Amino acid sequence: MLVNDVPKQVENIIKTSCYDCHSNNTDYPWYNKVQPVAWFLEDHVTHGKEELNFNEWADYSNRRKNSKLKSIISQIENGEMPLWSYTLIHREAKLSEDKRKTVLDWVSKLKDSL
Amino acid sequence: MRKSNVTTGILAMAIITLSATSCKDKKKVQENQEGHQTEQMEDSGHMDGAMEDHSQMDHDNMNHGEMAMMSSEVIADYLTLKNALVSDDKDGAAKAGEKLEGSLKNFDTSKFSDEQQDELKDIIEDATEHAEHIAKSDIGHQREHFKTLSKDVVDMVAITGTENTLYEQYCPMYDNNKGGAWLSMNEEIKNPYFGDKMLTCGKVQREIN
């Protein structure tokens, strides 16, 4: 994401709301020490990174970026992301209407520029 | 809608006239369909039986026909998927998506030029992800992925060519009026984005031979 010159404000929202599952910088919570929660979480994060990993953004081709951005837009628009099971505990990750709009506007602009 | 039907009609007539005058010796898909509207890629023996066994293809000299053959399985699965979406058939689309995953995996790019290989691999990687999602999503999501998948398949055909005539068709209303394109073997519009809701919305943009 960084390589596509993302404004600080958008970057902060994405880091707070997406990075735990969609980057290599997962900040595991205390309850990750509890089995079977840890397995459940690990599975989630692995799958999340498979779908989209911001650390690999620079390596995605424009075709791939376009597909990822389209999915990001659709997931946020439909309220499917961030996952409710995640925002239940990470209240700060929940996207307010403003934040939602900020991210969507920027992502759409980036997608159109590809 | 009425206006677009008229446009479609005019386009269709133009294409028929063109193909009748300029492609007389080219095999037309319609010839061996005998009135039924299936879009299966049937081995019709028009290439001297070369299509009879895909596994025994001679890879050494790849001519135009062989390049097109490489993508024929992918295109066939894509068209099955498209037809399922036309029929609002979520389960059929999911099944076709799964099958498409397989044919994308089997796509052998090794005989293409380096540059073509790079692009084909990129296309295959992207298309595979769409196929995976289509295999496990509701129909709304399936259609979203189908839109991007269609772009991948169009770009693939631009490299490999196609054994059968394909029509690139377009519905301007899909995706909040951003539009969506797809490929079909029939000229007649059957809209995979809206299905029964707006079956004939769209127009032929291009004939691909």
Side-chain angles (χ1 to χ4, degrees), chain B residues 91-156:
Chain B
D91 293 336
K95 227 171 161 182
E98 206 171 304
K99 196 153 175 294
L100 180 61
E101 274 182 67
S103 53
L104 284 163
K105 204 172 163 197
N106 291 338
F107 195 116
D108 179 9
T109 58
S110 61
K111 296 292 166 186
F112 290 86
S113 74
D114 288 353
E115 200 185 320
Q116 288 174 329
Q117 279 191 40
D118 284 348
E119 187 161 359
L120 283 171
K121 279 179 194 154
D122 186 30
I123 291 170
I124 289 167
E125 197 184 345
D126 197 68
T128 301
E129 199 171 302
H130 293 304
E132 281 168 10
H133 280 263
I134 287 167
K136 60 182 184 199
S137 301
D138 62 74
I139 197 152
H141 258 63
Q142 287 177 329
R143 286 178 165 140
E144 282 178 33
H145 285 285
F146 179 74
K147 176 176 163 175
T148 335
L149 174 68
S150 293
K151 164 109 176 46
D152 289 338
V153 177
V154 167
D155 292 345
M156 177 181 281

Side-chain angles (χ1 to χ4, degrees), chain B residues 1-2 11 27 55 64 126 133 135 141 149 152 155 189:
Chain B
M1 282 314 301
R2 181 151 298 171
L11 263 168
K27 181 198 148 284
S55 63
H64 186 72
D126 197 68
H133 280 263
H141 258 63
L149 174 68
D152 289 338
D155 292 345
I189 297 285

Side-chain angles (χ1 to χ4, degrees), chain B residues 39-41 67-82 100 103-104 107 153-154 156-158 160-166 183-185 208:
Chain B
E39 288 199 329
Q40 298 301 316
M41 304 283 271
M67 277 168 81
M69 209 185 302
M70 308 297 273
S71 62
S72 64
E73 200 188 333
V74 170
I75 294 171
D77 290 345
Y78 166 85
L79 291 172
T80 308
L81 166 64
K82 189 266 297 173
L100 180 61
S103 53
L104 284 163
F107 195 116
V153 177
V154 167
M156 177 181 281
V157 169
T160 65
T162 168
E163 292 181 313
N164 302 76
T165 302
L166 294 169
L183 290 173
S184 172
M185 272 175 70
I208 308 169

Side-chain angles (χ1 to χ4, degrees), chain A residues 47 50-51 61-68 70-71 74-75 77-78 80, chain B residues 119 122-123 125-126 129-130 133 136 141 144-145 147-148 151-152 155 175:
Chain A
H47 180 68
E50 245 170 48
E51 293 288 341
S61 67
N62 275 358
R63 179 187 303 277
R64 306 279 289 140
K65 281 182 185 167
N66 182 64
S67 284
K68 302 285 180 195
K70 197 173 151 70
S71 293
S74 145
Q75 294 278 308
E77 269 179 352
N78 296 331
E80 287 169 60
Chain B
E119 187 161 359
D122 186 30
I123 291 170
E125 197 184 345
D126 197 68
E129 199 171 302
H130 293 304
H133 280 263
K136 60 182 184 199
H141 258 63
E144 282 178 33
H145 285 285
K147 176 176 163 175
T148 335
K151 164 109 176 46
D152 289 338
D155 292 345
D175 198 5

